[in-house]
Amino acid sequence: MCGIVGFIGRGPAAAPILDALRRLEYRGYDSAGIATLERGLLTRRRAVGKLKNLESRLTCEPLDGRIGIGHPRWATHGRPNENNAHPHAVDGVAVVHNGIIENHRELRKELKLAGARFVTDTDSEVIAHLVNQQLKKGCEPIDAVRAALPRLEGAFALAFLFEGHENLIVGARKGSPLAVGYGQGEMYLGSDAIALAPLTDMISYLEDGDVAVVTRQGIDFLNSKGEHLRRPPAKTAGSSVLVQKGKHEHFMVKEIYDQPKVVGETLAQYIDIVSGTIKVPKAAKLNFRDINRVSITACGTAFYAGLIARYWFERYAGLPVDIDIASEFRYRNVAFDSSNLAIFVSQSGETADTLASLEFAKARGQRVLSVVNVLGSTMARASQIMLPTLAGPEIGVASTKAFTCQLATLACLAIAAGRDRGVLSAEDEALLVRALADVPRYMTSALELEPKIGELARNIAASRNALFMGRGTNYPLALEGALKLKEITYIHAEGYAAGELKHGPIALIDKEFPVVVIAPGDSSFEKTMSNMHEVIAREGRTILITDHKGASLAAGSWSTLALQDMPTIVAPLVFALPLQLLAYHTALVLGTDVDQPRNLAKSVTVE
Ligand code: F6R
């Protein structure tokens, strides 16, 4: 989490840094800060809360330095307050940091013994002290950074500014992303290409262990031994305009409504409707005949997309699937097998745990495939096979369109696997492809239920708890529905496999308790209805989300929302939409911060 920006140019640095921080606010929004050199002296402005607080501060107390670094923070160590906000400065050095310094306690102790005076509760402050210690020994700034880096354990992307050095920013990376951008007489540093998009589309990415020496004249990349490296710039496709909400009040609802279009575009790259076949990019050289097992690893919503895909790989391709939350994967004793395909799913392509798991699998000889939304991301670059989702920039912190685009891509992959392995006939494949091609239409019709969902949301908003349940692919969907609700409304919600309810959670049910039952009229419908009636018998308030067929068979639910009838394979993609809208409308009733809910950040770049 947190973002990094650096600017060195001819004009004032604060405005372009602020603009880049706006683009990086998805990485953290509990405080922000900028440091520049004013007549050679380090000057900082920091503010707690959203970026607009820093903007107001800068209006009253402007900065006019032509070199600077900036940072939007998501707190890991130390409460969000102005004092803990980056940049951290010690004597003549200032630093911004993304990542976690795992040995900060030991370093702090050692530095204190050597006379350092700490003024923040952060792990990051040790970095400024370590570099300052080297400067005091007489090192030049670049050597001071290079001498300090080996002392740091954990993950970091860093940018340093030095008093008296008006033409120098030093960047460094280990585990967290960092890019440099090339301008005319100007140079930039940023956590990603999007941050730098209005300034440049020529970007080089730092690799782990790189140090970047940035001046107005250009950039020099060094390795840990101080040897020069080549990191040639490449043109990026980062959008140069800030994504707008259009007619919508929030990014989240805009992104919910984007889904028929972006899922359609994502599907269009993987299906051929005329021939009724799946087309996995030839460059991927992927043939599932050589694969005997699939492992899927991801976090949060992307993990739930993976859970749904497990049902598809098993059902349509007869492939055994292991699935892990990324923060667990690396710490299990996974039995790696050369016939395994290791799949990683991520919107950002930067989630620290998923990225570390990917590297872990790759180092053990696994074939690595990632399903990623941000094309220039570290995961996209690190994967042998990368299947992009075309959701476009997702700004709302709660993932919506990225989820359904992940599902669309994974469904295509599972069908391709079934075809390659001879489990699906050409007719089966064509039927499934045609079903997928209709997803945008089913989604558009599901969105028409929004007024009714708005009414149901009032009921949920009146509760402190909610339960979501379903069977088969509707079980991970229940998990996702509960996650969406808790993220943006702060209502405690749980997702359960419907058959599991009576093994414990049913004890929670009383007439105050809303239970969302996800049950299209598929093969598990009757069993889920039995579970719903177990809830009704205990006076639970059930909201049944089903299709027309299910609605005609179901009776007794407190409320029923009926979507169009649709083929089983597409139901998870379409049923996600009413769940997203339910969370969104509940948040509207409660007046919470929909796009930037408390304590969260869009991209989780720390473990
Ligand atoms: C939930 C949400 C998170 C992300 C998770 C993984 O709405 O957005 O749970 O899904 O942090 O992020 P990515 O997909 O970027 O790896």
Side-chain angles (χ1 to χ4, degrees), residues 13-96:
I17 291 179
L18 204 55
D19 189 48
L21 289 180
R22 259 179 227 122
R23 292 161 183 282
L24 286 179
E25 213 181 2
Y26 73 90
R27 287 172 164 262
Y29 40 79
D30 61 37
S31 56
I34 294 181
T36 59
L37 292 179
E38 310 266 302
R39 282 157 292 283
L41 298 178
L42 270 177
T43 314
R44 287 183 292 167
R45 301 283 183 266
R46 296 176 296 163
V48 71
K50 300 268 177 78
L51 197 57
K52 61 180 182 331
N53 298 349
L54 179 65
E55 286 180 58
S56 315
R57 186 82 195 271
L58 283 163
T59 311
C60 306
E61 302 169 68
L63 290 170
D64 59 12
R66 293 178 304 135
I67 177 170
I69 53 178
H71 187 268
R73 180 167 187 245
W74 183 87
T76 59
H77 297 71
R79 294 165 67 86
N81 58 33
E82 185 173 328
N83 197 45
N84 287 333
H86 299 218
H88 296 298
V90 175
D91 295 342
V93 57
V95 65
V96 285

Side-chain angles (χ1 to χ4, degrees), residues 299-302 345-349 351 397-399 406 483-484 487 604:
C299 297
T301 288
V345 187
S346 176
Q347 186 285 125
S348 62
T351 300
V397 162
S399 187
Q406 286 160 355
L483 177 63
K484 287 288 90 89
E487 273 184 300
V604 184

